[in-house]
């Protein structure tokens, strides 16, 4: 009986809802949205995460991903792979031109920065 109780104790930790916000350039957002919204729709369906992208014509927009830890991880992974795929597809003039790494910029509320950094920077 204690074995089944142990499994139940871990369950609340796995069922937390996580919200992740990323600041993205317009070109990156366009890549994530895809033609007629097909790419973001596929990412939503396959990851089971809720994905919203801020409106506007400003150079940078906020992408918000909400869901279980696993769903958010899956969605972020798919986004990173899509951005990397688009970087690889960019026409290169030379054969072995190094391309920049995929960089995801997170938007962290000031109230949570301390817990992310840790005392004297021990966590980060």
């Amino acid at each position: 009986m204690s074995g089944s109780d142990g499994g139940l104790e871990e369950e609340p930790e796995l069922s937390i809802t996580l919200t992740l916000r990323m600041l993205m350039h317009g070109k990156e957002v366009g890549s994530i949205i895809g033609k007629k919204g097909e790419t973001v729709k596929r990412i939503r369906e396959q990851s089971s995460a809720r994905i919203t992208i801020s409106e506007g014509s400003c150079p940078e927009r906020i992408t918000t991903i909400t869901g279980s830890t696993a769903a958010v991880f899956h969605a972020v992974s798919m986004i990173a792979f899509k951005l990397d795929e688009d970087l690889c597809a960019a026409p290169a003039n030379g054969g072995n031109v190094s391309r920049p790494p995929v960089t995801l910029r997170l938007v962290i509320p000031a109230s949570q920065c301390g817990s992310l950094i840790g005392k004297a920077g021990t966590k980060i």
Side-chain angles (χ1 to χ4, degrees):
M1 182 119 171
S2 67
S4 63
D5 288 341
L8 292 176
E9 289 175 342
E10 292 179 26
E11 195 62 32
E13 182 179 297
L14 296 175
S15 65
I16 64 169
T17 299
L18 179 66
T19 298
L20 191 67
R21 290 181 182 85
M22 297 184 295
L23 192 61
M24 304 178 88
H25 291 288
K27 192 165 70 170
E28 295 169 330
V29 170
S31 176
I32 300 309
I33 294 172
K35 290 182 182 176
K36 297 183 181 178
E38 290 297 322
T39 303
V40 74
K41 181 180 176 184
R42 180 175 46 82
I43 294 171
R44 285 177 180 142
E45 289 172 354
Q46 291 181 5
S47 69
S48 301
R50 183 172 180 260
I51 301 171
T52 58
I53 299 169
S54 65
E55 293 291 328
S57 59
C58 50
E60 296 178 318
R61 294 165 66 181
I62 296 177
T63 301
T64 304
I65 306 168
T66 305
S68 68
T69 305
V72 170
F73 176 77
H74 192 209
V76 170
S77 296
M78 292 178 73
I79 288 170
F81 282 121
K82 177 62 178 158
L83 293 174
D84 185 55
E85 180 182 282
D86 289 352
L87 279 174
C88 290
N93 293 335
N96 285 339
V97 175
S98 64
R99 65 181 196 273
V102 173
T103 302
L104 300 176
R105 296 177 297 158
L106 301 178
V107 179
I108 309 291
S111 62
Q112 295 178 355
C113 286
S115 62
L116 179 67
I117 297 169
K119 190 172 187 174
T122 57
K123 287 185 181 179
I124 202 158

